[in-house]
Amino acid sequence: MHKCECEQPLVPVIVEVVDIKDETPDIKSFFVKNPGGQGLPFNVAPGQCAMVSYLPVGESMISCTWQEEQEYLQFAIKRVGLMTDELHQIEVGQKIGLRGPYGNGFPVEACKGKDMLFIAGGIGLAPLRSFIKYCFKHREDYGKIKIIYGSRSYADLCFKEELFELWPQQKNTEVFVTIDSAEEVWKGHVGFVPSYLEELNPSPNGVVAVTCGPPIMIKFVLGSLEKMGYTDEQVITTLEMRMKCGIGKCGRCNIGSEYICLDGPVFYLSQLRDLPQEW
Amino acid sequence: MKVLSKAKLETALNKLNQGAEVFLPMQKAQESGFYSWKLFQQGQDELMLDALNVYLPPKHVVLPQTERMYSIKLEGQDMKIEQTFEDASPRVIFGARPCDIKAILCMDEVFLTRGYEDSFYKCRREAITIVANACYQPGPACFCNAMEVNPVEPAGADIIIRDAGEAYVWETKTPKGEALTSQIAEFLEEKSLALPVAQPFIQDVKYEGTAEKLKKMFADHIWAKLGEACHNCGICTYVCPSCYCFDIQVKMWGDEGYRFRCWDSCMYEEYSREAGGGNPRGDGIERFRNRFLHKLEFFKERYGTPLCTGCGRCIVACPAGINIVKIIDEIKEAELHA
């Protein structure tokens, strides 16, 4: 058999899970770095993804929720299928496969000087969090920051410490949290994200809105933003579909002639308007 | 001109077979496709170089139906990838028709451009030499001329052979082709033979303008009608020379196993079904539409050429009588609803 000298984009590198944190009853954060604890296999920009591979079971495309310098890559993963089920069983020290980084990431440069409005639902906060934390890290480059986030219940809210303590303390930052239906423990807002957004009615002047969540939430949020006067060039979303290769070859994550894994996952609404309405 | 006498063909193939695995069109029992010359059984199998298109195209030579990618070994909490399986053994596709070669050129675009080179595809592909069999007599299902294929002067061939009756006229096009020609130089003769005359196409297909029109037809009602008979069985994707979509799966025996990829089909519900249960193309008609748009519009937008090469195999294979030529016609004739 010929020994290949070329780059092998479909072959994962092995990384070590150095920490695991329960975020919600069905979401865990996995912190990974090179085996033995020396640095990272690659850098991941805000909004980019990686194929996380529990080798004997499968691979899933997961948005990297944060890269902390050369310390760790963090993936917040919801238990929904075969691979993620297995991943939720592992313990610290486990080696897993990882390949990437994939996708275009958020336009962090183009958004400099703007006020930022982040709107997320459920696990949809995970990809947005990489942009939110990037803004806080480069706080002077961005204007006011508003974060609107909702989940089914209080227990299902992800990244609670940041939501309720760390982010509201940041300069010029407001965090609005809602849950779908009332609970005794919850004193905050109750209702779906799109209606909360309309209630808050943030002005579109000088703002870029970034949204991610369940497809149905994204659809309603886009409608609300349009009603509130946001133009298609002011609205960014990050999409997801089933993926296998992650590099624009295997075929399945297309919207029209674009592949979410390669040409996305981040799109301006103005770009999506040109594509078939299949997202 | 150089010619290879048909009487010397099998000896020449035996010679080529010493340095490479040679795939060529043959009939094996009830099946016809591109099989290895090693598997040819004298007296039982039949060489099909004279046939226009055998039932199955040679795409498995560039993209195997299943292909091991890398080994997996588990040891406690450790996971290892000890070996990857890129395969660059020399192969020859002998007697491929221009439509099938165009399909390989389409796959080259997918696997070798747009930011990433697929190492498994690249290693294999670079070691493949293509001997094209130029077409002069189009068949009833052929329409390659409408799909940017030149049946007489095919692009992408390392060597072109032309059937001149008693012999094949042998034209070497590339350095790879020269290397192959030199291996069988002893069987080639200098001779002047009359080339066949290209016959007109039986079908008249007008693809030009289809991609542009389809851009406005995603939400059109026409898809429900066009796809009504489709069972989403996937045979069209299986026999198609250019359908390349693949799945990546794993096979484990206890602590050892391997990851492999295999052909997939956009006709199947699982193809785009997500772990959480969602599916952007959960309906059969949506998958039907996506396949034809991929063939006729999306691929053209992305890579500048359609992903249908006019071989006609899907027309022959479809149990529901779906005919891509009729679909192109109906699209061209359709009135646009604003």
Side-chain angles (χ1 to χ4, degrees):
Chain A
M1 192 84 71
H2 161 86
K3 179 83 184 73
C4 183
E5 302 295 336
C6 49
E7 299 266 318
Q8 300 172 302
L10 293 175
V11 182
V13 293
I14 302 295
V15 293
E16 183 173 336
V17 176
V18 293
D19 197 9
I20 299 172
K21 186 181 169 203
D22 288 324
E23 302 287 358
T24 76
D26 59 3
I27 297 172
K28 284 185 182 186
S29 270
F30 298 85
F31 300 80
V32 307
K33 59 198 301 188
N34 284 334
Q38 283 303 308
L40 305 178
F42 45 76
N43 293 313
V44 186
Q48 284 191 309
C49 303
M51 270 291 182
V52 177
S53 176
Y54 188 72
L55 293 181
V57 179
E59 298 180 301
S60 301
M61 189 68 113
I62 309 285
S63 182
C64 180
T65 188
W66 185 240
Q67 170 178 346
E68 181 62 35
E69 305 290 341
Q70 292 304 303
E71 284 305 303
Y72 60 78
L73 296 171
Q74 182 184 356
F75 298 92
I77 299 177
K78 185 167 171 170
R79 198 179 67 232
V80 286
L82 283 177
M83 206 295 288
T84 51
D85 237 19
E86 286 291 333
L87 211 54
H88 272 242
Q89 315 293 322
I90 68 170
E91 290 172 7
V92 169
Q94 175 71 48
K95 309 284 198 305
I96 60 172
L98 195 70
R99 53 189 179 88
Y102 294 135
N104 55 359
F106 290 114
V108 291
E109 291 298 322
C111 291
K112 283 190 174 160
K114 309 275 189 194
D115 291 343
M116 300 301 300
L117 170 63
F118 295 99
I119 309 155
I123 188 69
L125 183 57
L128 262 48
R129 179 172 174 263
S130 62
F131 198 174
I132 293 170
K133 284 176 72 87
Y134 183 90
C135 290
F136 289 145
K137 196 172 165 185
H138 304 86
R139 192 65 196 87
E140 302 312 315
D141 293 339
Y142 299 90
K144 285 183 198 146
I145 294 177
K146 285 188 176 138
I147 300 163
I148 304 173
Y149 176 54
S151 243
R152 281 171 303 184
S153 68
Y154 176 73
D156 288 310
L157 292 168
C158 233
F159 311 115
K160 288 193 185 70
E161 192 191 356
E162 288 170 320
L163 277 179
F164 297 116
E165 288 171 36
L166 301 178
W167 293 350
Q169 291 168 16
Q170 295 280 340
K171 209 172 91 187
N172 253 334
T173 303
E174 290 177 280
V175 180
F176 305 93
V177 182
T178 181
I179 61 173
D180 289 356
S181 43
E183 287 175 42
E184 233 168 84
V185 291
W186 179 246
K187 308 288 176 233
H189 187 276
V190 174
F192 294 122
V193 170
S195 57
Y196 194 24
L197 168 67
E198 289 193 27
E199 231 173 85
L200 294 164
N201 196 21
S203 153
N205 287 336
V207 178
V208 175
V210 190
T211 184
C212 185
I216 187 74
M217 186 212 87
I218 294 184
K219 253 174 210 163
F220 280 104
V221 164
L222 295 179
S224 301
L225 288 171
E226 196 178 353
K227 243 195 289 183
M228 291 155 51
Y230 285 74
T231 65
D232 293 351
E233 288 75 23
Q234 277 177 287
V235 179
I236 294 169
T237 183
T238 174
L239 299 177
E240 193 175 30
M241 269 170 92
R242 186 171 198 180
M243 296 175 190
K244 288 286 182 172
C245 73
I247 55 174
K249 317 283 188 209
C250 81
R252 74 205 65 228
C253 73
N254 77 299
I255 301 177
S257 57
E258 305 275 303
Y259 289 96
I260 293 182
C261 66
L262 184 66
D263 308 308
V266 176
F267 293 93
Y268 279 93
L269 185 52
S270 49
Q271 294 172 294
L272 288 177
R273 296 280 192 217
D274 278 344
L275 297 173
Q277 300 297 297
E278 209 168 43
W279 41 277
Chain B
M1 57 180 69
K2 279 199 164 52
V3 305
L4 173 66
S5 149
K6 287 187 180 173
K8 292 184 186 165
L9 175 67
E10 296 198 2
T11 339
L13 289 172
N14 286 336
K15 182 75 194 294
L16 287 180
N17 196 43
Q18 291 169 14
E21 190 164 19
V22 184
F23 293 84
L24 65 175
M26 56 178 92
Q27 179 83 35
K28 285 181 89 59
Q30 296 303 305
E31 296 174 17
S32 72
F34 282 75
Y35 299 98
S36 171
W37 180 239
K38 280 183 199 140
L39 301 176
F40 186 76
Q41 293 175 291
Q42 289 289 353
Q44 290 184 35
D45 300 340
E46 191 188 342
L47 265 187
M48 300 282 279
L49 283 166
D50 295 340
L52 270 174
N53 271 329
V54 281
Y55 189 73
L56 294 174
K59 77 173 161 186
H60 63 291
V61 184
V62 293
L63 184 70
Q65 192 167 358
T66 60
E67 176 179 33
R68 278 196 307 173
M69 299 170 78
Y70 51 85
S71 66
I72 296 169
K73 197 168 179 187
L74 313 179
E75 286 168 357
Q77 282 194 312
D78 207 4
M79 288 188 184
K80 286 185 180 139
I81 296 173
E82 287 173 336
Q83 203 183 353
T84 64
F85 298 108
E86 282 91 353
D87 180 0
S89 355
R91 293 179 172 87
V92 176
I93 305 176
F94 194 101
R97 293 295 180 173
C99 51
D100 288 349
I101 299 171
K102 171 71 189 303
I104 292 172
L105 296 181
C106 289
M107 286 193 267
D108 288 350
E109 289 290 327
V110 172
F111 287 97
L112 302 175
T113 75
R114 302 301 190 275
Y116 292 93
E117 289 183 335
D118 183 311
S119 60
F120 299 96
Y121 184 91
K122 187 181 179 207
C123 289
R124 179 176 275 273
R125 177 71 175 94
E126 282 177 352
I128 292 175
T129 307
I130 298 177
V131 181
N133 189 0
C135 291
Y136 289 86
Q137 181 86 54
C142 291
F143 58 105
C144 74
N145 63 329
M147 307 312 287
E148 304 178 9
V149 176
N150 185 333
V152 175
E153 289 290 345
D158 297 302
I159 290 166
I160 302 177
I161 60 172
R162 301 169 203 282
D163 191 336
E166 63 183 272
Y168 295 105
V169 174
W170 188 275
E171 185 189 358
T172 305
K173 304 292 281 187
T174 67
K176 244 191 221 177
E178 276 162 27
L180 189 145
T181 299
S182 68
Q183 285 176 52
I184 55 156
E186 58 188 298
F187 306 110
L188 298 174
E189 300 159 63
E190 233 7 274
K191 208 174 198 177
S192 198
L193 291 178
L195 286 176
V197 178
Q199 300 299 309
F201 275 74
I202 299 162
Q203 299 198 99
D204 181 22
V205 180
K206 292 194 168 48
Y207 168 71
E208 324 77 55
T210 308
E212 294 73 12
K213 187 161 182 189
L214 280 172
K215 199 163 170 51
K216 300 176 195 131
M217 291 178 69
F218 183 82
D220 201 285
H221 298 304
I222 198 170
W223 297 108
K225 184 182 125 201
L226 296 176
E228 192 182 9
C230 178
H231 310 305
N232 295 114
C233 74
I235 190 67
C236 51
T237 60
Y238 182 72
V239 301
C240 178
S242 66
C243 270
Y244 59 81
C245 288
F246 62 87
D247 192 2
I248 296 176
Q249 288 289 348
V250 69
K251 182 76 191 161
M252 296 294 293
W253 294 265
D255 290 339
E256 290 189 35
Y258 60 83
R259 188 73 51 91
F260 66 97
R261 72 164 155 207
C262 56
W263 294 354
D264 202 346
S265 172
C266 60
M267 285 290 117
Y268 301 150
E269 196 268 335
E270 297 93 320
Y271 176 75
S272 50
R273 188 208 294 153
E274 291 150 7
N279 192 341
R281 293 188 278 267
D283 191 89
I285 293 285
E286 292 167 338
R287 298 195 287 281
F288 175 91
R289 173 178 64 186
N290 183 64
R291 179 166 191 274
F292 283 96
L293 289 178
H294 189 209
K295 292 283 165 200
L296 303 173
E297 181 200 343
F298 301 155
F299 199 86
K300 173 103 172 157
E301 285 170 2
R302 193 173 180 87
Y303 298 105
T305 191
L307 190 60
C308 169
T309 67
C311 75
R313 285 191 180 86
C314 57
I315 302 174
V316 176
C318 180
I322 289 165
N323 182 330
I324 190 166
V325 166
K326 285 190 190 151
I327 287 176
I328 292 172
D329 284 348
E330 296 218 26
I331 287 161
K332 298 286 295 236
E333 284 164 21
E335 275 179 44
L336 287 180
H337 311 283

